[in-house]
Amino acid sequence: AVSEAAARHHERMCGLPTGTIRVVPNGIDPVDPASEQVIRAFVDECGLGPCSCLLASVGRLDRQKGYDRLLSRLPALSARIPKGEIWGLAIFGEGPERAALEAQARALPCENILVVLPGRFAGAASLTAGFDVFLMPSRSEGCPLALLEAMSLGLPVVTSDADSLPELCRNYTGFSACLSFEEDADGTWFAEAVVRAAESGRSLPCILTTKEEMIEQYETIYHQLTTGDRSDA
């Protein structure tokens, strides 16, 4: 499995002893940040130029990713934004909930928060290098590459407490806030976490697992399966 949470879940579902399923986390390569000129051009093109703080998320526009509940908590964040400032949120991705999310965003009573859904970008992770906070409000997650890439850039992150997200946040050396969206219906905790994240600034890049480390772990498993040698299990 790609996370401890996923491994333990499937052990329970299959009636297997704890520890039966081994974990090989997803690995990533270092993200090559886009240049300041490219980031500025993107921000201006999306209409986020006036924003003093930029929030980003990357994921499919479907229920699993929880963008509906992210948008519903923006009024609480709006009340915490310093007077005279405008903040921006870009949600990169495509999916079946685009129309509903666009309508929800238009209906928000938040004059000091601009929301854009720029679509799917091959270099979305590179563009987020110019943002201030990364958000992941998912209802379920395995081992999300988008979050790992944000951490590799040293971005402060605010996530839900779904599945693997708490263990990833625990291992992150930068700022992270992992909260229960179910217990934060009015968005108070969310708003506080995002403000703290914006104030914290970014940290040194942190790659939890490299692709090379992931490959080595899989090669070990293949060796054990083909030879029966479990000495390094």
Side-chain angles (χ1 to χ4, degrees):
V2 294
S3 68
E4 294 289 343
R8 304 296 83 83
H9 168 76
H10 288 291
E11 286 167 351
R12 290 191 299 270
M13 294 296 292
C14 299
L16 298 172
T18 300
T20 300
I21 297 178
R22 295 169 62 177
V23 176
V24 179
N26 286 334
I28 63 166
D29 288 325
V31 174
D32 185 17
S35 68
E36 290 186 14
Q37 293 84 353
V38 169
I39 292 171
R40 175 48 53 187
F42 169 80
V43 168
D44 290 341
E45 183 178 346
C46 286
L48 299 179
C51 299
S52 57
C53 181
L54 294 173
L55 317 175
S57 190
V58 180
R60 298 184 311 281
L61 305 184
D62 61 27
R63 187 177 184 280
Q64 177 215 336
K65 294 298 182 178
Y67 291 125
D68 56 319
R69 59 185 190 171
L70 167 60
L71 294 179
S72 71
R73 284 158 177 77
L74 290 186
L77 176 61
S78 174
R80 296 291 308 274
I81 294 176
K83 186 176 181 180
E85 290 189 16
I86 298 176
W87 289 19
L89 167 62
I91 302 174
F92 296 86
E94 280 294 350
E97 290 198 351
R98 167 176 280 279
L101 293 173
E102 288 176 333
Q104 185 180 359
R106 287 194 299 269
L108 288 172
C110 306
E111 295 183 357
N112 56 354
I113 300 181
L114 301 179
V115 180
V116 297
L117 284 74
R120 182 184 292 113
F121 277 75
S126 297
L127 288 171
T128 60
F131 284 64
D132 300 292
V133 180
F134 187 86
L135 307 176
M136 180 159 281
S138 304
R139 289 182 169 90
S140 63
E141 282 293 349
C143 187
L145 295 177
L147 179 61
L148 297 176
E149 290 170 340
M151 291 176 168
S152 80
L153 292 167
L155 288 174
V157 301
V158 177
T159 77
S160 72
D161 62 352
D163 303 326
S164 66
L165 300 186
E167 64 191 81
L168 295 179
C169 288
R170 283 195 300 270
N171 292 323
Y172 183 40
T173 55
F175 177 94
S176 67
C178 186
L179 53 96
S180 169
F181 275 59
E182 287 76 10
E183 297 178 8
D184 183 41
D186 64 358
T188 301
W189 296 352
F190 169 79
E192 172 66 21
V194 173
V195 170
R196 285 171 46 223
E199 293 173 345
S200 74
R202 65 184 59 208
S203 63
L204 293 174
C206 175
I207 297 182
L208 300 185
T209 304
T210 66
K211 278 189 177 178
E212 289 75 15
E213 290 169 336
M214 178 184 69
I215 291 169
E216 288 176 1
Q217 292 182 62
Y218 278 121
E219 286 179 337
T220 296
I221 294 174
Y222 295 150
H223 172 76
Q224 293 165 357
L225 289 172
T226 55
T227 65
D229 177 11
R230 295 181 58 84
S231 58
D232 53 356

